Amino acid sequence: MKMTWNNLLSCTMLALAIHAGCPAWAQNLTDYVDPFIGTSGMGHTFPGACVPFGGVQLSPDTDTIPHNVGGRYQPEVYSLCAGYRYEDPTIVGFSHTHLSGTGHSDLGDILLMPTTGPLHLNPGTADAPGTGYRSRYSHSSETAHPGYYAVTLEDYGIRAELSTTARTGIHRYTYPGEGERHLVMDLSHGIYNYEGKTLWASVRVVSPTLVTGYRITQGWAREHYTYFAVRFSRPIRDYGCRESVASAYQGFWRKFSTGHHFPEMAGRGLSLWFDFDWADAAADDLTVQVALSATSAEGALRNLEAEGGSFDGIRASAGAAWERELGKVSAEGTEDELKMLYTSLYHTMINPSVYDDVDGAYRGLDGSIHQADGWNNYTVFSLWDTYRAQHPLLLLMHPGRARDMALSMLAHQEQSAHGLLPIWSLMANEGWCMSGYHAVSVLSDAVSAGIGLPGDRALEAMDATATVPYLEGLEDYMKIGYVPLEASSTGASTTLEYAYDDWTIYRAAKLLGNKSLAQKYRQRAFSYLHLFPFGENFAQARYRDGRWKKNFDPRQTYGEGFIEGNSYNFSFHVPHDVAGLIGLMGEKQFLRQLDTLFSEPLDPRYYADNEDIEESCLIGGYVHGNEPSHHIPYLFAWTSKPWKGEYWLREIMERMYRPVRDGLGGNDDCGQMSAWYIFSAMGFYPVCPGSGEFVLGAPFLPRMTLQLEGGKSFTVLAPGVSSRNRYVQRVKLNGKRLTRRYLTREDILSGGVLEFEMGPRPLKRGAPRQADLPYSLSRE
Amino acid sequence: MKMTWNNLLSCTMLALAIHAGCPAWAQNLTDYVDPFIGTSGMGHTFPGACVPFGGVQLSPDTDTIPHNVGGRYQPEVYSLCAGYRYEDPTIVGFSHTHLSGTGHSDLGDILLMPTTGPLHLNPGTADAPGTGYRSRYSHSSETAHPGYYAVTLEDYGIRAELSTTARTGIHRYTYPGEGERHLVMDLSHGIYNYEGKTLWASVRVVSPTLVTGYRITQGWAREHYTYFAVRFSRPIRDYGCRESVASAYQGFWRKFSTGHHFPEMAGRGLSLWFDFDWADAAADDLTVQVALSATSAEGALRNLEAEGGSFDGIRASAGAAWERELGKVSAEGTEDELKMLYTSLYHTMINPSVYDDVDGAYRGLDGSIHQADGWNNYTVFSLWDTYRAQHPLLLLMHPGRARDMALSMLAHQEQSAHGLLPIWSLMANEGWCMSGYHAVSVLSDAVSAGIGLPGDRALEAMDATATVPYLEGLEDYMKIGYVPLEASSTGASTTLEYAYDDWTIYRAAKLLGNKSLAQKYRQRAFSYLHLFPFGENFAQARYRDGRWKKNFDPRQTYGEGFIEGNSYNFSFHVPHDVAGLIGLMGEKQFLRQLDTLFSEPLDPRYYADNEDIEESCLIGGYVHGNEPSHHIPYLFAWTSKPWKGEYWLREIMERMYRPVRDGLGGNDDCGQMSAWYIFSAMGFYPVCPGSGEFVLGAPFLPRMTLQLEGGKSFTVLAPGVSSRNRYVQRVKLNGKRLTRRYLTREDILSGGVLEFEMGPRPLKRGAPRQADLPYSLSRE
């Protein structure tokens, strides 16, 4: 049958119907989402409730106590990034802010925990839960659904349910029939918690049903302000706290018992309890709505006012919001495939998250309160990860939010003492995590997409960022073309990242007609060349005087000048000039190195000490959990053997993304891993964001449709695709044979159908036509 | 010569001329002010620069290091309240906020210190000044003048000069010709400093001449936010800091040296240095203007913008402002008398101080930013002290400011988690110092003065305050008529204070026509009666069940139920019903106790352990440094022997107020001691604020004239008055014989002349006519 627009559309409708109808339990797309995927092992996701891109992520924390490391107690940094670890036997409580899938930790703000019986104001320990307010729980009592989480706290017999709006979390606690009932609010709780992390906490009991306050923490976010307003469904009967301090002159406070029924409690280690009036209670449930704000208690109150509601109402709205957002992708596949797809899609819509009040007031990087007019301020930009696929996906699917995120980055740059765009921005702080200045990639891509950004302002911010001399070796880089080891122990990978970033500035400058900047950054984009010794094929670190690092080992990640990736991986990090790189190595060597990377097992000594790599995360020496590898399987598209990429892409999809709780092959990294999955499932990927191109790989599902803004849709068909039928035989775009090995943004945004014909054997296509190859700077 | 209005006016003019002409060095009234009076011994005043009621008090701090108390290092609370102690051999630096004359300490915000040679970022110790940035100095190099202070820092050869506007401090440092030149800014410095007092400090280098930042301290003010903006007259060449911390993940900050040339420094113990570009310097001086704000860095910037200027311009304006305010009093006297008078007047115009931004934004007691429209927000209300004479003086002389202060108190009450008016308010905090709720006295007096306060709102706030059950024994007091020892260890004095305070509420309610509140508080005003056992003459503490404390000693201050005063003093604390008290004791006993109080030396064992009483502060058992005694010498006016008061008033004036640095007989207490002096020098005193009466004593100077708002003036004449001629023989008001023993506010505000005829012997006048006696509740 010849595909025409009309019968394609019918196909799509049919497919939708098929999806909507099966399996029986899946009444909604949200039913495919399993928030527990990634909560064990490497994923670092949290199972709690949030709305798409919401500022509040209300989720259980299972432990945060410092761990005994060689006799010294140190806060747990890595394995508890999300606050929740599936293996942990107890729940400490429910806190309102969480990072999704990161490799470093913070937040866990404003912990609530309902309890019964004797009052505890400290969490206790997992091996002796009775010594604190924490409780045992069973996974069988847990329910997690987009926008909803519930668990039974076994030690208390309390059913705890959570839901959220963008700026509030709502808790419904159903207590057992008898016994003393308490609610604990521990403001000294946190993720990555250490003695003294809470610089100050302060709480006011405003009325029997309203409490406001704030705390300041010094965590990964150096100065993190969380204001809150809490509304209770029942009046407070009694309350008190541990460690409320008076002024430095305690004596003056002798008039009161500041620890009991004193309506303005404050201190560094503040932990509070509230008892409620149950006298007129027909039921045993307490609803608590907690609004957050980074600006002020009044901001939190306004957020509470604007987003207040009943538990069931809020839960329904949260579910509907997810249903709407997930509905932008429809697909055909097995239950497991759809589970993985929609859970991935879900994970691409948690971070970045809204970070402003309902009236647009937000805390800026300068610590001042600013006003966003006509846009929303966002935070949590894990840019070293997310510039690769997460932001390109958001740009395609959420252009309005992508614009606001770009504006948030520009505001950040304006408020930066350094004039720097965000590197790892969280909660009005720069976290400085990882290398490069990849916000320029996101901005360049956004400028080229024409979503209404002020281009010249963006270019100014990009140029300002790329010229801060004291940023990790940048002064040297600008002078000698690379970051020497003296300036940075990861100078080699940083050089490669700068070179790509600079290319994105070049593209934006060219587009905006700024010839001098275009010229400057075009030149800088070739800096990668300085890392390849003449006649050699691995990027290598060097010293300021030009000497190369001695005893170079391309498989070694540490000490060789690279970060989260060895030279074997990083030598391919020239996404903007793949042809140039191939020219340097020769295609034969290029392919040889790719083959070795994927197929030759990495000796365990290279990763034994690394907490974020396990053997199961490896495909040869390819580490999917480390983002610098993400574009590598697509590099085959520039060669005469694209089917090799098709093979490995299927391997990665199957082995690194399994719809079970420990099924993620690495930290989800604020959606980057998941966005990789979404693109790769469709058979294309933004190897070089800023080029406007999506390089073809191999589709994973028989059908996927993107519902685009403005009503258009883009459908990818791959009938019969399977683990066996993993090889692309032919590609048609809107019914016409596509020899190009990439799509343009226009191809997608115009709507249409991309059809892959799949087969069990590679289609050996011979040398490609130059015109069919994706972008390379050298060929421009 | 018969006095007529016209020749009185001529006399006044003549007197003014005499004053203006002598002594030769006194070109201005400000020349009479010696800011060093009180900087040694008990006064606790500071010598630095400020403008009248200004929010910035820029002054040298001579030590703040914790002192070794029995092997434990404790912050110095008492003797260094003002930051400066005349005896100290070194100056640590110059900080921007100081309390004037308090008995407890805090502030000392944002310390600057210019240095030369090797850089030190810690203060060092007084016995080894070379180990830190502090410097030795000589008093001979010091100059202090209202609005101006200067000193030579001997270790560096730097001349330091200070001046202020209301919200900024300006420094001019003239460095010696050669050597390395530094400026240190130590944000861990403070008065009453202890390890960890600075919760957080953060600084941004905005441009080579502009730095902003803030710090939060937990001192007496539990949460004290000080934002600042600093403008330098020369560009910064280099800078750095000690103890700037990164985030909790220090590793991410490896990109930078955060301690050097890193424009966003932060931490708990932050101490910074700045070096400047002197290349183009024709001179060796650096001018630094520091604006403060409690709301935000932008607030500080706006204040800097609005109040910015040259050092000489600001110094001239500050001097002119003082000259204008001091000019509201003109007087005749010896150089020493005028020095004491104008220095006292100066000390009545430091606290309360302005606590808002130029645009009216201010930090409220609730920690939120509020907007004062059409008024200025004030802070530092040492009300237990200042309700007595300082606020009555301000109400007479500065009715506009008095209104704003009352509005500030009402805002405080509205923002209070307790619904309480201020007790000891400082920097948007309640300091809870001392007992009672004397803001009601200030408000009642202000309401009765008709200065445009919202009366009903004031009454509502007063009633709300006086009914907070958990305020120091108030629940008991409302039930059983006194504060029992179980509820407060100072229940007896607190009861006496509540009773007076309640009387002021009664007066306001009566004036405003609120009969039920009037009735309620009239009854409560008699509560003092519950402390006098039947047939006994000393107020005594009792238990909840009515029993009296055993082994009562009326001379003992501690453990008897009184605060800062023994029963000997406190039994007279019924200012609103002196007649009632006399009725209780009988006049004979009343006078006997007064005589004993003033003439019988107090055994040293009663005050040996007390840091704020020395033998020189005592007149018999009368302790002028403790405010509960302040009205006592005026109580003779209710008896048949008023000349006894005339005798003791002169003694107090001469012995407790000497125009030398250790000449104050007690803490100046935010102007209360000084306001007592101003009133007493005129021969009258507000024994019972709220009554609108000023009880006559004995004048101290031959002439004093108050220039009142609206152009009227009130002159007190006492020709020939002297230590010998201390007894009042006759009094005329506007030429008419005055038999009344008090003035009304109207008498004063109408303008006129009060003439005392003085003599060396008491005029024994016999029993007074009831109609001539000042107010008493029992006689109402």
Side-chain angles (χ1 to χ4, degrees), chain B residues 42-66:
Chain B
M42 292 293 171
H44 293 190
T45 56
F46 62 82
C50 58
V51 296
F53 307 98
V56 169
Q57 308 84 24
L58 178 53
S59 188
D61 293 334
T62 56
D63 220 334
T64 57
I65 300 296

Side-chain angles (χ1 to χ4, degrees), chain A residues 12-218:
Chain A
T12 309
M13 298 301 284
L14 184 66
L16 271 166
I18 288 168
H19 143 73
C22 83
W25 54 267
Q27 298 295 314
N28 299 297
L29 296 177
T30 49
D31 293 334
Y32 289 112
V33 177
D34 179 2
F36 288 108
I37 294 176
T39 60
S40 182
M42 292 292 170
H44 293 190
T45 56
F46 61 82
C50 58
V51 295
F53 308 99
V56 168
Q57 308 85 24
L58 177 54
S59 189
D61 293 334
T62 57
D63 220 335
T64 58
I65 300 295
H67 288 233
N68 188 332
V69 180
R72 287 182 56 210
Y73 280 83
Q74 294 185 352
E76 177 55 45
V77 177
Y78 187 71
S79 73
L80 268 163
C81 285
Y84 182 97
R85 196 165 46 184
Y86 198 86
E87 293 72 23
D88 286 340
T90 60
I91 283 175
V92 173
F94 308 102
S95 73
H96 291 78
T97 53
H98 292 85
L99 297 170
S100 181
T102 55
H104 290 279
S105 50
D106 202 353
L107 312 185
D109 295 297
I110 322 302
L111 180 107
L112 293 188
M113 182 66 169
T115 71
T116 61
L119 182 68
H120 293 285
L121 293 178
N122 66 74
T125 56
D127 49 358
T131 59
Y133 55 68
R134 72 171 69 206
S135 170
R136 281 162 288 212
Y137 71 108
S138 156
H139 290 300
S140 65
S141 80
E142 269 185 314
T143 302
H145 205 68
Y148 179 74
Y149 172 90
V151 69
T152 299
L153 301 170
E154 284 179 6
D155 290 350
Y156 308 120
I158 293 171
R159 184 69 180 164
E161 298 171 280
L162 313 175
S163 188
T164 68
T165 67
R167 295 169 186 85
T168 78
I170 189 161
H171 310 237
R172 182 164 61 194
Y173 299 132
T174 307
Y175 290 77
E178 47 196 42
E180 262 188 83
R181 298 165 172 186
H182 313 293
L183 179 67
V184 172
M185 176 191 273
D186 189 349
L187 297 178
S188 67
H189 168 91
I191 298 172
Y192 186 82
N193 215 12
Y194 63 94
E195 181 70 30
K197 178 177 177 179
T198 299
L199 296 171
W200 192 248
S202 184
V203 174
R204 298 194 128 212
V205 178
V206 177
S207 83
T209 55
L210 182 66
V211 166
T212 60
Y214 73 99
R215 73 167 189 171
I216 317 171
T217 51
Q218 191 213 348

Side-chain angles (χ1 to χ4, degrees), chain B residues 416-482:
Chain B
S416 164
H418 315 279
L420 278 169
L421 282 161
I423 287 174
W424 212 116
S425 135
L426 74 163
M427 321 317 254
N429 281 266
E430 177 51 79
W432 300 118
C433 181
M434 307 307 291
S435 37
Y437 32 81
H438 304 297
V440 300
S441 165
V442 179
L443 286 176
S444 182
D445 211 22
V447 165
S448 73
I451 52 169
L453 275 189
D456 290 335
R457 166 75 192 105
L459 185 60
E460 173 198 48
M462 291 155 86
D463 182 41
T465 297
T467 51
V468 170
Y470 51 85
L471 181 70
E472 203 177 4
L474 200 45
E475 187 164 18
D476 285 301
Y477 172 86
M478 291 189 285
K479 276 186 200 150
I480 57 176
Y482 61 91

